[in-house]
Amino acid sequence: MSKPNLARRVAEAAEIALTTRKYVTFIDVVTALRWLHSRHVDTWRQGRVATLAELAAVDEDRLLTTAGLLRDWARDKGLKPVDTPYVAGTRDRRELRFTAAHAQEPFRVHWLSPDLSEARVRRLTEAQSKAPDLVAVAPLDEWTCASCAGTGPYLIMEDDAPHCLTCADMDHLVFLPSGNAALSRRAKQESGLSAVVVRYNRRRRLYQRQGLLVEEAALAAAEERCLADEEVRLRRRERDRERKADQDVEFQARMAAEIARLFPGCPEERAREIAEHAGLRGSGRVGRSAAAKALDENAITLAVIASVRHLDTDYDSLLMSGVPRMEARERIRGAIERKLEEFRAPR
């Protein structure tokens, strides 16, 4: 990829992050470029690798070039630089390294919008500089503690080696499974020491949160607090559901209008159906991506292509007949292009 093309892609990724959150980080850009997956970032934040570059699809020099292009773009936009430390979710809270061969400062900078209030900047800075949660892994396979040669249901990484809870001085903690957000939040607040429990999902190739390890007294106190205001929280959840439903309707209407702008030949009813399908909350579809929420042209186009693929071609029939997915997509490529040309032409 040439440097001008890389600069353009960096600018597009940064613009989406800035529109969505009012600030941009180096990690926002490299994950948007698909050089790193969020699971890679999680592994790095947990302190399980020496540098983030080890997991990246490009070399360290390319990462440094990208950080420089992000800096140039951010300065042109008048964004405010904030140097933000990154520390590992390990007991030693060591500083995380992005690369082995370069200074870390270019990668740590968070670029904040000048439109943010001082109070919001202060909250963001505090949140970004906060050490991540300690992480305990619920292993899938047999393992051995590096200190006592024992084992257990959870392991803590220290000095790049697994340790049991006893050797990590955490065997007094009890497990609270995920599922009750209020109880988990309050138990963590009450507990002087806690850790997030994760387990690796081989099918999805990422670590998934299973619950928390907290002090037993903290869990009891949190349960009492939850019982005391259960009715209030129930009413609040109902109001939140109504608010989110209203937000979805507004977002889908804006997406339908953008589809109509980009594809004036697309019938109004079809544009509305595409927006409702792609923008369904919790669906994980392209319409729920950060790019689509920013009404990025490429993301909107992908949503239209997905609709055409399933409704205007024999793609689904090809899959049902045993045709491999990529071969089926290649077969229908021409039909999709013709339909998109039809949609792009004014009615």
Side-chain angles (χ1 to χ4, degrees), residues 67-92:
L69 292 172
L70 173 60
R71 177 200 60 213
D72 295 342
W73 173 86
R75 287 176 175 173
D76 289 341
K77 297 282 288 188
L79 303 186
K80 177 183 178 181
V82 176
D83 186 73
T84 306
Y86 283 77
V87 295
T90 54
R91 290 292 289 272
D92 57 5

Side-chain angles (χ1 to χ4, degrees), residues 55-273:
L55 304 174
V58 296
D59 59 28
E60 292 192 358
D61 290 338
R62 194 60 147 177
L63 295 177
L64 183 63
T65 299
T66 301
L69 292 172
L70 173 60
R71 177 200 60 213
D72 295 342
W73 173 86
R75 287 176 175 173
D76 289 341
K77 297 282 288 188
L79 303 186
K80 177 183 178 181
V82 176
D83 186 73
T84 306
Y86 283 77
V87 295
T90 54
R91 290 292 289 272
D92 57 5
R93 300 300 197 188
R94 68 179 182 274
E95 180 182 352
L96 290 168
R97 294 186 62 81
F98 290 81
T99 65
H102 305 102
Q104 305 302 296
E105 288 79 2
F107 307 102
R108 295 198 313 233
V109 176
H110 289 196
W111 298 95
L112 276 57
S113 169
D115 298 333
L116 289 174
S117 65
E118 290 186 8
R120 177 80 186 280
V121 170
R122 185 169 58 254
R123 288 196 300 270
L124 280 175
T125 303
E126 291 173 354
Q128 292 162 3
S129 60
K130 183 180 178 182
D133 294 321
L134 289 174
V135 176
V137 179
L140 299 176
D141 304 314
E142 293 183 2
W143 68 282
T144 302
C145 174
S147 294
C148 68
T151 188
Y154 311 108
L155 63 88
I156 300 286
M157 294 297 294
E158 290 186 359
D159 300 323
D160 297 326
H163 293 73
C164 66
L165 294 187
T166 300
C167 293
D169 296 327
M170 299 176 66
D171 56 347
H172 63 294
L173 303 181
V174 296
F175 178 62
L176 171 62
S178 299
N180 187 325
L183 180 60
S184 296
R185 183 177 63 254
R186 289 171 172 177
K188 185 178 176 183
Q189 291 171 350
E190 297 280 354
S191 190
L193 178 64
S194 65
V196 175
V197 177
V198 299
R199 176 179 286 126
Y200 189 70
N201 184 318
R202 289 196 175 104
R203 183 178 62 82
R204 300 184 64 186
R205 295 186 296 176
L206 52 78
Y207 282 93
Q208 293 181 313
R209 183 173 178 141
Q210 304 297 306
L212 292 171
L213 291 174
V214 296
E215 296 167 347
E216 191 167 5
L219 177 56
E223 288 172 338
E224 289 182 5
R225 289 174 59 187
C226 287
L227 286 173
D229 65 355
E230 184 175 5
E231 185 177 346
V232 173
R233 288 184 292 110
L234 181 62
R235 291 199 299 269
R236 184 180 300 144
R237 284 197 297 269
E238 184 60 33
R239 290 197 302 271
D240 287 344
R241 277 195 293 269
E242 294 174 357
R243 176 177 55 80
K244 290 177 180 178
D246 291 340
Q247 289 176 344
D248 278 357
V249 170
E250 179 187 353
F251 167 61
Q252 290 168 4
R254 289 191 291 112
M255 181 184 286
E258 186 65 8
I259 292 172
R261 185 186 72 82
L262 295 173
F263 300 93
C266 179
E268 181 179 342
E269 180 65 24
R270 179 70 178 274
R272 185 164 58 250
E273 290 175 357

Side-chain angles (χ1 to χ4, degrees), residues 13-14 17-18 21 23-33:
L18 182 63
R21 298 191 304 176
Y23 69 93
V24 187
T25 71
F26 169 76
I27 290 178
D28 291 334
V29 172
V30 292
T31 52
L33 293 175

